[in-house]
Amino acid sequence: MIESMTPLADATERQKMPTVSAPILETRGLWVFAGKRPLLADVELRIQPRQVFGIIGPSGAGKSTLLKCLNRLVELTPGLRVRGEVLLHGRSAYAPEVDVDALRARIGILFQQPVVFPKSIFQNVIFGLRHLGKVARSEWSVVAERALREASLWHEVKDRLDEPASRLSVGQQQRLCLARTLAVDPEIILMDEPTSALDPKSTESIESLILHLKQNRTVVLVTHNLGQARRVADTIACLTVQDGVGRVVKRGPILAGDFDGPIAAEFIKGRQ
Amino acid sequence: MMRNFKHRVFQLATAVCAAVACGILAMIALAIVRRGWPAVSWQFYTEQIRLVGAAGGIFYNLIGTFILIATALIVSAPLAVGIALVHGVYLRGSRHQEKVTFLLYLLNGIPSILFGLFGLIVFVKFFGLGKSWLTGGILLGMLVLPTVTVALCERMTTLPAAYLEAAAGLGLRQSQIVWSVVLPQSLSGLITGSLLGLARAAGETAPIMFTATIFAGATFPHGIKESPVLSLPYHIFILAQDSFDPSVGAKLWGSALTLLALVLFLSLLALPWRLRIHEEARHD
């Protein structure tokens, strides 16, 4: 395994580095099995708060599976088994006493394809909110507006909140999904290749949103697009497939020359 | 050349099969419409039975059949929803899922006369309901339960997993996901299954003939116990045994045409929802 850490970084790179603090999210010896076959082996990640943490790697390396381990959404996929630890604020996310639904409300997720429910735009924004019961019904529209503004969708939809969400463009739908997650006010937002279904303009707006979000939230971004990782991520982990098993081959801040070496060859396919 | 010939023969054979199926349906419909149409009139549907079926109409038979299938719907729909949820949500990805399917098909294969016998022993005698619309409705509900449940299960299986993940990702509990995503999205399956089930229940004679329905002398039900109703299929069954009398014959075919129309109507009503399921399956 290759470990590129601080000594190689030049001055400008060092500025992008996080101050070393307690990680908000951490994995220790995380394995995922499908039956007896391992899909992911011994994943160790330390994700610092208010950062964009990029996970890059070729298709099939288990990036999405790794992401879903972080909010235990992996448990919805039949046949997958998780071993090892995921720590949120230093506490085990897989401990028996953990309320998994509350955990998922704290760690939001955005998928590759926007998943809007066959309801109005407004109903989609408050979909999670209304069920969690933390916000009074009279406050829903206030929270919805705030979430839509944070997802920079408010000006496009404020006059048609009662229209079906399916009428929005794919890019708008993805921002609507982000607003729906933001309405629940998660500390961490997981994003699974959120721009791979989008046109360049929507991609750009999602990327600038990600940079904006990290002011007060932590973002874990899975992407197969190196350019995107370089543009928005503070720290990255590279997953690759060795003998059919996904492994982390590099982690740390993005450094000059990271993608010129042999690892880069693995990711060339994803370069745009 | 040879391959092309074989292909043609095969095509022809399948076309013949399809034609046979359509032909059977057309023959039945034609036979019933030709004989039944002259009997159909406003009076036929608004009068009650007179002269042991030789005169009058089938008003109370229609009412009775509606009561029976409505009861069957009320009995089967909640049960079907429950079983489908166990099958599609709580047993999702478990190997017990197939066992539930197997049991449903087994239940579907039980001859309807056995439902009748079961109802006679258990509801009529043991629970002391006597011959009653409720007994018949419950039995018909049990009879159509597999049809309704399987349609609902199929709908739930085609439900995109992305919806479930998105809802779970927002922190919704499983029960909340069921209420806000699974059930609304499966409603079309429940409607299709129920309508097809009811179409079948409307024509069943065996389960109700000694548990719920009589030939003459009943109007609206007056209670729950010992309160039989008239019904279309039993009416046809009795009249058919007397059909050498031409006036009875006319009423018989009129009733048969009415039952056919009712069943066809229920099946056609289900069609838009069935098409919608297929449409969505193509999009996903």
Side-chain angles (χ1 to χ4, degrees):
Chain A
M1 281 196 200
I2 307 155
E3 285 275 348
S4 311
M5 293 307 277
T6 27
L8 291 173
D10 62 29
T12 46
E13 300 292 348
R14 207 168 286 136
Q15 274 180 351
K16 277 173 78 178
M17 295 262 316
T19 48
V20 176
S21 58
I24 186 167
L25 198 59
E26 196 179 352
T27 69
R28 285 188 193 156
L30 186 74
W31 291 69
V32 179
F33 296 88
K36 287 191 173 162
R37 193 170 66 88
L39 297 180
L40 281 172
D42 200 23
V43 176
E44 303 261 341
L45 300 177
R46 288 169 67 84
I47 298 167
Q48 301 296 333
R50 290 161 205 259
Q51 266 210 349
V52 178
F53 189 94
I55 299 174
I56 62 172
S59 346
K63 302 188 295 295
S64 304
T65 308
L66 172 57
L67 200 66
K68 285 181 187 173
C69 285
L70 302 180
N71 67 348
R72 292 181 60 178
L73 211 54
V74 68
E75 290 168 15
L76 293 192
T77 313
L80 291 191
R81 198 161 45 84
V82 178
R83 214 183 68 195
E85 272 300 351
V86 174
L87 303 173
L88 175 63
H89 291 294
R91 292 214 194 108
S92 169
Y94 281 79
E97 70 273 11
V98 170
D99 177 348
V100 61
D101 302 306
L103 177 87
R104 288 178 190 147
R106 290 172 74 186
I107 310 180
I109 187 163
L110 201 60
F111 300 96
Q112 202 168 344
Q113 296 281 343
V115 184
V116 299
F117 294 103
K119 293 170 185 283
S120 71
I121 294 170
F122 180 73
Q123 287 297 327
N124 262 282
V125 180
I126 62 163
F127 191 85
L129 183 70
R130 66 181 305 162
H131 288 290
L132 295 175
K134 281 184 199 151
V135 179
R137 183 179 275 262
S138 53
E139 296 288 305
W140 285 355
S141 55
V142 179
V143 178
E145 180 178 337
R146 197 166 59 216
L148 283 168
R149 280 185 193 278
E150 203 178 345
S152 44
L153 191 61
W154 175 250
H155 291 291
E156 291 160 64
V157 300
K158 65 179 178 200
D159 299 321
R160 46 179 187 144
L161 289 173
D162 292 325
E163 278 184 29
S166 54
R167 284 201 204 148
L168 296 174
S169 73
V170 182
Q172 289 172 323
Q173 287 185 14
Q174 190 65 300
R175 276 178 285 150
L176 179 62
C177 293
L178 181 61
R180 188 175 61 196
T181 304
L182 289 172
V184 179
D185 196 24
E187 298 171 72
I188 304 170
I189 301 178
L190 311 176
M191 299 189 182
D192 189 358
E193 306 196 17
T195 61
S196 65
L198 306 186
D199 58 87
K201 196 165 167 290
S202 306
T203 301
E204 209 185 301
S205 79
I206 293 272
E207 282 180 9
S208 60
L209 265 173
I210 294 173
L211 290 174
H212 185 72
L213 284 174
K214 75 167 178 176
Q215 289 177 358
N216 40 25
R217 301 178 204 275
T218 308
V219 176
V220 184
L221 171 73
V222 159
T223 177
H224 63 250
N225 181 335
L226 270 185
Q228 184 167 70
R230 225 181 256 179
R231 283 191 296 274
V232 299
D234 300 293
T235 314
I236 54 159
C238 300
L239 272 183
T240 178
V241 188
Q242 290 171 351
D243 308 321
V245 186
R247 281 176 193 279
V248 175
V249 289
K250 179 209 174 299
R251 69 191 141 234
I254 296 192
L255 304 171
D258 257 358
F259 300 113
D260 303 332
I263 302 169
E266 294 244 18
F267 303 106
I268 290 298
K269 279 171 276 179
R271 199 190 292 255
Q272 283 178 0
Chain B
M1 183 65 198
M2 190 61 198
R3 217 166 107 181
N4 205 357
F5 176 71
K6 272 188 183 168
H7 179 66
R8 285 274 165 77
V9 170
F10 186 72
Q11 251 184 348
L12 191 70
T14 49
V16 168
C17 293
V20 166
C22 294
I24 292 173
L25 185 65
M27 266 159 54
I28 294 176
L30 195 70
I32 292 177
V33 172
R34 229 185 58 198
R35 292 176 175 81
W37 191 250
V40 172
S41 66
W42 180 247
Q43 282 78 24
F44 185 60
Y45 292 115
T46 52
E47 286 181 8
Q48 60 172 312
I49 179 173
R50 283 186 285 120
L51 300 178
V52 204
I58 53 168
F59 178 71
Y60 286 111
N61 304 78
L62 273 175
I63 295 290
T65 286
F66 283 135
I67 289 173
L68 287 174
I69 62 175
T71 313
L73 175 68
I74 292 166
V75 169
S76 61
L79 276 173
V81 170
I83 299 171
L85 283 179
V86 167
H87 178 272
V89 178
Y90 300 107
L91 293 182
R92 198 184 176 93
S94 140
R95 61 204 157 78
H96 297 298
Q97 205 178 15
E98 277 178 21
K99 288 182 195 164
V100 175
T101 315
F102 176 71
L103 283 175
L104 284 173
Y105 281 110
L106 210 61
L107 190 63
N108 200 32
I110 293 179
S112 55
I113 185 74
L114 298 186
F115 278 100
L117 283 178
F118 170 80
L120 181 66
I121 295 164
V122 175
F123 294 111
V124 177
K125 296 270 191 308
F126 185 77
F127 288 123
L129 276 178
K131 246 192 183 188
S132 159
W133 58 273
L134 183 61
T135 312
I138 293 172
L139 287 174
L140 289 177
M142 286 161 61
L143 187 82
V144 301
L145 186 61
T147 314
V148 184
T149 312
V150 167
L152 195 51
C153 286
E154 271 173 19
R155 186 72 186 103
M156 282 187 191
T157 317
T158 57
L159 187 75
Y163 280 155
L164 304 181
E165 286 196 333
L170 289 167
L172 267 68
R173 299 187 184 282
Q174 196 174 40
S175 55
Q176 293 172 329
I177 296 175
V178 164
W179 276 112
S180 59
V181 183
V182 178
L183 288 181
Q185 295 284 302
S186 319
L187 191 65
S188 63
L190 182 66
I191 294 172
T192 321
S194 296
L195 289 171
L196 293 180
L198 292 189
R200 191 183 159 197
E204 281 292 343
T205 319
I208 56 172
M209 60 191 295
F210 29 72
T211 58
T213 184
I214 53 175
F215 175 64
T219 55
F220 291 104
H222 50 75
I224 287 176
K225 279 187 175 183
E226 302 286 355
S227 178
V229 287
L230 304 188
S231 70
L232 268 182
Y234 190 61
H235 192 63
I236 295 169
F237 175 74
I238 296 294
L239 291 190
Q241 296 170 343
D242 264 335
S243 59
F244 50 84
D245 178 345
S247 56
V248 170
K251 302 293 178 192
L252 163 66
W253 291 107
S255 309
L257 177 59
T258 308
L259 184 58
L260 184 71
L262 177 66
V263 169
L264 200 67
F265 174 71
L266 289 172
S267 304
L268 284 180
L269 215 55
L271 202 63
W273 280 285
R274 291 181 73 182
L275 292 180
R276 220 177 91 191
I277 291 177
H278 292 196
E279 193 88 350
E280 280 174 22
R282 260 200 297 275
H283 282 302
D284 291 333

